[in-house]
Amino acid sequence: MSTSNIATTVRSDLPILRVHETGTRALIYLDSAATTLTPEPVVAQIVAYYRDVSASVHRGKHMLSDIASTHFEQVRSDMASELGANTRDIAFVPNTTVGLNTVACGLRLSADDLVIVPIDVHHSNLLPWRHRARVEYIRLNSRATVDLDHYAQLLRRHPRIVSVSHCSNVTGRYAPVAEMARMAHDAGAIFVVDAAQSVPHGRIRLAETEADFAAFSAHKMLGPTGIGVLFGRLGELSPLARGGGTVDWVDLDGERLRDSPHHLEPGTPHVAGVYGLGATLDYLRKLGWQEIARHDAELAGELYRQIAQRPHMVSLGGTDAVDRAAIASVRLPPGVDVDEVARLLSDSYAVMCRSGKLCAQPLVEALGDRRPVLRISAYVYTTTEEIRTAFQAIDEVLPMVGASMAAR
Amino acid sequence: MSLRSHTRDAQLLMPTDALPRLREALSYAYHNTKLTRDKFDAVGVLPQNIRDSPDLAMVPATTRAEYRREFPAGVLAGGATLHDPMVVRSRSSGTAYERLLSADYSYTLAERRLGALAANPPLLRVLADPETRRSVRYAAPNCSDVECALPQTTIRDRILPNGMLVLPAAHDLYATSTQMLRQAWNEIVDWRPDYLSCDPTRLAHLLRYLDHDDPQDIPGRALVMTYNFAPAFATAYLRRRLPTGMTVANSVTMSECGWVAVSCPHGTLHLNTAELWMELVDADLAPVAVGEVGELVVTSLGEPLSPRVRYLTGDLYQLLDGCPCGHRHPAVRFEGRWRNAPVCSDGSRMSMRELDDLIGAPEHLVSYRFHQHAPDRAELRYMSSTGNVSEWEHSMRDRLRARLGKVCQIVIDVTAFLPAERSGKFVTCTTAVS
């Protein structure tokens, strides 16, 4: 499938892009790094679960529970195949944040343990560590990716954990995770990857990164909210929560935990979410991971080309689009209220993009001037024409809010 | 249903002397079970209308779903209960819509086993030997009613009354922990079985694990490869590893029919027509000719508890033109499940066996799994002992496209893991195309 065909195909499954209530303008959705749109086949599978099955998994012997369990485990198998992992390595979690907390809790860190993280990590990949151990920060280089020399220096302090963002949700830059994993392992550290922004864009073979643990969310890759995947040596993790579903045996004296990954899946899981995740995986696989990555590169190229043509905007992490997802965060001219710009783009131009500090406040403040930024993030349904239209809208809005268009 | 078009020449599998038993079986089923009576009545046929083999075509076939829905009240002969100590209850390895509960008297199952084994005297000698007291079963957890997948079960929990030890097995074959593999092997050594009854893919995986650092001889006088399709990569590995002198045979068993077929000493599979009335039919339920592939339809003979009448097994077999062994049981080749056979662009189906023939057993191949997502999209993932083998991948892509159709895009990828079905069976070929 050619890259232009990808967007056409996906858009035909997104009624939200065909009809929009704010007027005659078609919706341009550029907040995909937060949550993506959900195509009809995924919605249909979620509805099918509630309509035709509804039962919980791994509980009863009745037929509906068996059907649900079979499908649930089939999705796990499919996911394992796609990641290059095995099924014992895959747990279903509510989202990336819970996945990373499960790792941070499950490794039983002590306050003396050292965790090192690059400064570009999402809060969800920072706070779980900071509340359990000492955290030190890896500096970024001029391209806003990890400074490998500084990383090597920090590794000499014998960290227990290295945890990184595979792809920054602010700059769209990919970290050299395979190289970093090798360095971490050489130093005896466990390597953890926040893959929330990388897997959706085609970097699916997590097992090849040599990460010990990684997590990502379905809702950033056309899937439903409330379901994500934790990948890794799950048998080494003690559970974040205990209860039904996590044990093989309970008596008055104790309990015996179930084998991995079930010991990390307490309570009735989000079965409909897993149905939706399965449909999502099938949908993306049908588009083709390489084609998705190519389309993303094309979008990133257009995104940064547009920014480069506007000297009054400052892109966090520079304007080259090499090895970068279609995610860009820009600092607008001084005096401009970025939240107001985002609201105007939405309500007057039907362009949805994100403003704020993007749950990565240390990075935004380090690369910026402490003010919130405007983030434009595209996905498989986005066209380069939409990106151009969005920037034209920004061009119209900025003078209206008093922005100086001089170069910065 | 036939996979390839051949000259049509209706082939009767059954000896004529089985006809009286068939008539008796139909009459018994009609008068004693609701499901059979309802099906006969629905088409206005009575058992006495079935005078000769071709008349059987008047009788509607029974599907797995019908059997499941009517079990037990509608399929057990009047007055019979599941509480009888001679009743063996079985749960099929299938899950969801494929699952099935069934029941047989233990002695009819023994008779079927004996009938099937007539095609393989050396194996019969081992299995029927009074000195044969111990055996092991190594298969998907759902292939036994013993919770062998639970880590806390002891060896004592898993010994069946007939002296068969059910070995611990994880649901997902290639995700089996090394601890569980080691435990399975230790139990084989401790139990000293007279014969082994194994899923060949699972046993090959266990032996590969052992061979990695601790190759050991396999005990026992015979190996029965059963419970699952035997792919070439597994049987080739086992052939290299098994001690000379060990009797090795394939058998096809079904929880609802017992021993359906067994291979003779020549390696050819023979249908058990001693105790079951067999038909191999196409989609229109017409008999297939020699060389063709058809679905096996079974009618039980002399079954007093739960008679099956034209039971659609869902299993495909190719009818062969005899076997050098000369045994009277029809010679066939097992082709896999009908529902797993990918659909080709010419409308024919490629059976699991046909795919397996295409793939073969090259030295590097540890395992594989083929899945057809859509008529124009499929993937072949394989585990390899030498990493990816580009030349082989190119050649496989060409050969698969030649069979499936040029429009079919095939992704071929080496992987460290291949998932099993939730039933625990590892299936080499599946399709999402119905």
Side-chain angles (χ1 to χ4, degrees), chain A residues 61 63 66 70 85-88, chain B residues 95-96 99 172 175 417 419 422:
Chain A
K61 296 291 181 198
M63 177 64 88
D66 198 8
T70 298
N86 83 39
T87 46
R88 290 166 57 87
Chain B
T95 57
R99 74 182 195 173
D172 204 349
F417 168 76
R422 179 172 163 260

Side-chain angles (χ1 to χ4, degrees), chain A residues 20 22-26:
Chain A
H20 190 55
T22 56
T24 55
R25 293 181 197 269

Side-chain angles (χ1 to χ4, degrees), chain B residues 80-94:
Chain B
T81 71
L82 296 171
H83 195 58
D84 187 327
M86 297 304 285
V87 170
V88 176
R89 283 178 272 177
S90 308
R91 283 181 294 182
S92 73
S93 61

Side-chain angles (χ1 to χ4, degrees), chain A residues 166-180:
Chain A
H166 194 175
C167 175
S168 164
N169 69 309
V170 176
T171 66
R173 294 280 192 201
Y174 287 102
V177 284
E179 186 177 359
M180 291 183 75

